[in-house]
Amino acid sequence: RYDAVYGLSLAVMYSVMSISITFFNKAVLSYYKFNYSQMLTLGQVLFSLAFLIILKKWKYIEYPEWSNKLAFQVAPLSFFFLSMVVTGLVSLSVVNIPMFNALRRVATLMVIVGEYFLLGKKTAVDETLSVAVMTGGALVAGAGDIQFDLFGYLLSFVSCACTAAYLIYISRVTRVTGLNTFGLMFYNNVISLPVLIILTYILEYDGLVQYEGYGDIGFQLCFFGSSVAALLLNYLIFMCSKVNSPLTTSITGQLKTIVTTLVGLVAFQDVDPNPTFLFGLFLSTLASVWYSVIKYNQMKQRTRAENKK
C-alpha cells in the first residue's frame, strides 16, 4: 500500500510540475516574444547541471563520476530528451495551449505501441480504447482549430514520438547502467549541453543579441521559473518511470491538461473556442478521466490481491 501511495504522490507532483512548466514556457515564448527555444532549453540544462554539481559537492546527493562507457549508454536517452524538449517548445510557441495539450495526448498511444513492440507488454483493451478516444478527440479539436499551424502540428507529433521513446528508454537505461536518478540527470545534462550550445549559436545568436526584454522582471521570473520547473520535472519523470510504468507516467502528464486546457482557454489570446474545437477538447479530456478511473480500479484490485496473500 505504501508503494501505491508513493507512486501516486510522485504522479501528482509530476502533474503539478508539468502544468507549471507549460505556462512558464508559454509566457516566455509567446507573451514576452522570446522565440528562442534552444536558449530556453540551454538555460534549463545549465540550471539543472549546476544544481546537481552543488548538491553533490555538499554531499546531499550521490552519483558516479564521469565515465565514457556510461555516457555512451546514456547518449540515446539524451537524444530523445533534446528532441522532445526542443520540438515541444517550438510547437508551443505557435500552437495554443489547449490544442498543444490535445496533440500531446498522442504520446500516450505511442507509448502503448512502443511498450508492445519493444518491451513485449500488452495493454488492457479498455485502457487502449480510452487512449484511442483521447487521440480521436485531439484530431477532432485539430479539425476545428481556426488557427491551424501545420508546422506546429508536425512538431507536436515529432515531440510526442520522442516523449514516448524517452519514457520507454528510461527504464532500459536504468537497468543497463545502474545509475540512480541523479546520475541519469547528470549524464543527460552533460551530454545535451554541447549540442545545445552549438544549436543556440548557429540558429539564435543574432536574435539573442537583439532581444530587448532581458530587463523585464516578469520575463526574468518566468525564465527562472521555467528552469526550476524543468529541473523538478526531469527528476519526477525519472522517479515516476522507476516506480510507475512508462504508460502511467505518460497518462498522468495528460491528466494535468484538464487544468491547463481550462486556464489556457482564457489566459492567452490565441484561442478561437468554436463548437468543433471545444467538442474535441471535451472528448479528449473525458477519455483522460475514463483512463484514470480504469487505473484506479486496477490499483484497488492489486491492493486486494496483495492483502489476501
Side-chain angles (χ1 to χ4, degrees), residues 3-298:
D3 289 341
V5 172
Y6 180 60
L8 180 61
S9 300
L10 285 173
V12 170
M13 289 188 289
Y14 167 68
S15 295
V16 171
M17 282 303 105
S18 189
I19 291 170
S20 300
I21 198 170
T22 297
F23 283 104
F24 279 131
N25 287 342
K26 183 66 175 177
V28 170
L29 295 167
S30 297
Y31 184 79
Y32 292 103
K33 308 297 182 185
F34 188 78
N35 299 314
Y36 310 108
S37 55
Q38 274 80 18
M39 185 64 221
L40 182 56
T41 308
L42 179 59
Q44 294 171 352
V45 166
L46 284 171
F47 181 86
S48 296
L49 190 56
F51 197 73
L52 289 169
I53 291 173
I54 290 171
L55 286 182
K56 183 179 181 182
K57 186 175 182 180
W58 290 347
K59 302 189 183 304
Y60 283 110
I61 62 173
E62 287 294 332
Y63 54 82
E65 296 297 329
W66 180 262
S67 161
N68 290 334
K69 180 182 178 182
L70 286 175
F72 181 78
Q73 292 171 326
V74 177
L77 185 69
S78 300
F79 169 78
F80 293 133
F81 167 76
L82 276 177
S83 303
M84 172 186 72
V85 173
V86 172
T87 55
L89 285 176
V90 176
S91 174
L92 183 60
S93 69
V94 295
V95 176
N96 60 70
I97 285 181
M99 195 61 234
F100 177 77
N101 286 336
L103 292 172
R104 292 286 292 171
R105 288 187 173 100
V106 178
T108 308
L109 183 61
M110 292 181 176
V111 169
I112 289 177
V113 175
E115 284 188 331
Y116 177 77
F117 286 105
L118 298 177
L119 304 179
K121 180 180 177 181
K122 293 183 179 180
T123 304
V125 174
D126 53 354
E127 291 180 39
T128 305
L129 272 176
S130 65
V131 173
V133 175
M134 270 190 241
T135 305
L139 296 176
V140 172
D145 186 7
I146 303 299
Q147 299 181 5
F148 175 84
D149 187 295
L150 179 61
F151 178 65
Y153 275 50
L154 289 175
L155 281 179
S156 289
F157 288 127
V158 173
S159 182
C160 285
C162 294
T163 300
Y166 182 68
L167 291 174
I168 293 169
Y169 205 75
I170 284 175
S171 300
R172 183 180 183 278
V173 170
T174 302
R175 248 186 352 261
V176 171
T177 63
L179 288 170
N180 61 18
T181 302
F182 298 110
L184 283 173
M185 292 174 66
F186 172 74
Y187 274 87
N188 199 31
N189 286 324
V190 171
I191 294 169
S192 302
L193 187 59
V195 179
L196 281 170
I197 291 173
I198 294 170
L199 286 175
T200 302
Y201 181 78
I202 293 174
L203 301 176
E204 299 178 347
Y205 178 78
D206 292 337
L208 289 169
V209 171
Q210 297 172 13
Y211 184 70
E212 299 178 351
Y214 293 116
D216 191 312
I217 187 66
F219 169 78
Q220 294 171 8
L221 288 174
C222 286
F223 196 99
F224 179 72
S226 172
S227 298
V228 173
L231 168 66
L232 296 176
L233 183 62
N234 278 323
Y235 172 74
L236 290 168
I237 286 176
F238 285 127
M239 289 301 296
C240 264
S241 295
K242 287 173 69 175
V243 176
N244 302 316
S245 72
L247 181 58
T248 301
T249 303
S250 178
I251 197 65
T252 303
Q254 306 310 320
L255 286 173
K256 56 87 182 176
T257 61
I258 296 173
V259 176
T260 53
T261 295
L262 292 174
V263 178
L265 283 170
V266 296
F268 297 94
Q269 305 301 313
D270 58 354
V271 181
D272 179 18
N274 60 78
T276 303
F277 180 75
L278 291 176
F279 175 71
L281 291 180
F282 173 76
L283 187 64
S284 191
T285 301
L286 190 64
S288 294
V289 176
W290 177 23
Y291 181 87
S292 66
V293 171
I294 292 170
K295 296 303 292 183
Y296 174 72
N297 289 333
Q298 288 178 352

